[in-house]
Amino acid sequence: MRATGRVTAAAALAAALLLSPHGAAAAAVGPAPCVRGESEARGDSSVDGKELRWEDDSKYNDPLKWAHKVWSLGLVKIAPDGAGSVNDLEWRDYSKADGHAGYWQGKPGVDYIYLNSYYLDGRYKDRASRRHVAVHELGHALGMCHKPDTWASVMWTKVVDNPPTEPTHRDEANYRKLWK
Ligand SMILES: [Zn+2]
């Protein structure tokens, strides 16, 4: 690459990630790409204007509270639904051995995040995994796409051991690109 005298921004960022996977050079990281076939758009979110009003019908209080906190990055107001506001997102639980720790469902009207107690009370019952799943799904509600696992992100398609429990610098960059 150097020989040509031209290094694309994407190539430079990829190289920086490879050399510094833990964000040692935290300054000015750019957004990560989506996995093939996905994109990031405000229209694919639960956000109404710059607000996300949620209602809680889930038993996973700690992961929910955590997810709302760590995604409160200044551009989208995340707040409980109240009298006089329109509910945008509802957290619900279900239990099924369907291979999903949880999922976000966007549709006309209110959107839903379903947390799967089959796994969150089983294989992923530790605090970090539960928080990761809630943060990942709330990421979808904020319009975030899945990211390749070569990029530091809470938006990987699979739950890993010791998963990240809050948005990485990359995730913040994607969030700012979408909502600034
Ligand atoms: Zn997902």
Side-chain angles (χ1 to χ4, degrees), residues 6 13 20 29 45 51 59 96 108 123 132 142 180:
R6 297 181 62 194
L13 290 170
S20 176
V29 298
S45 77
E51 270 195 0
K59 69 175 182 177
K96 193 177 180 185
R123 181 176 172 183
H132 169 79
L142 287 163
K180 72 181 179 233

Side-chain angles (χ1 to χ4, degrees), residues 60-76:
Y60 296 105
N61 295 317
D62 170 80
L64 264 66
K65 195 174 167 188
W66 177 260
H68 294 145
K69 186 179 100 175
V70 298
W71 272 118
S72 290
L73 298 171
L75 298 178
V76 175

Side-chain angles (χ1 to χ4, degrees), residues 19-179:
L19 292 171
S20 176
H22 302 296
V29 298
C34 295
V35 297
R36 189 188 300 260
E38 293 191 20
S39 59
E40 249 161 23
R42 292 188 183 192
D44 295 326
S45 77
S46 303
V47 178
D48 186 7
K50 288 290 188 78
E51 270 195 0
L52 180 53
R53 293 277 180 176
W54 53 268
E55 224 167 72
D56 170 13
D57 194 19
S58 164
K59 69 175 182 177
Y60 296 105
N61 295 317
D62 170 80
L64 264 66
K65 195 174 167 188
W66 177 260
H68 294 145
K69 186 179 100 175
V70 298
W71 272 118
S72 290
L73 298 171
L75 298 178
V76 175
K77 182 183 177 185
I78 300 173
D81 185 34
S85 64
V86 178
N87 184 25
D88 304 309
L89 177 72
E90 189 163 322
W91 292 87
R92 288 192 178 174
D93 303 336
Y94 76 113
S95 181
K96 193 177 180 185
D98 62 2
H100 298 287
Y103 64 95
W104 171 77
Q105 183 181 65
K107 53 185 191 180
V110 66
D111 295 344
Y112 294 89
I113 288 175
Y114 291 97
L115 299 176
N116 193 347
S117 60
Y118 183 86
Y119 300 107
L120 297 189
D121 290 350
R123 181 176 172 183
Y124 301 135
K125 68 183 177 191
D126 61 286
R127 189 170 73 170
S129 294
R130 284 179 173 181
R131 285 182 171 185
H132 169 79
V133 172
V135 169
H136 176 102
E137 299 308 336
L138 190 59
H140 285 311
L142 287 163
M144 299 292 109
C145 63
H146 289 125
K147 305 296 185 310
D149 60 13
T150 45
W151 296 76
S153 176
V154 293
M155 300 308 295
W156 294 341
T157 54
K158 292 193 172 114
V159 183
V160 298
D161 289 339
N162 303 311
T165 56
E166 51 190 296
T168 65
H169 293 300
R170 294 279 174 206
D171 293 321
E172 282 195 48
N174 285 78
Y175 166 94
R176 293 193 188 288
K177 185 183 173 198
L178 190 60
W179 295 109

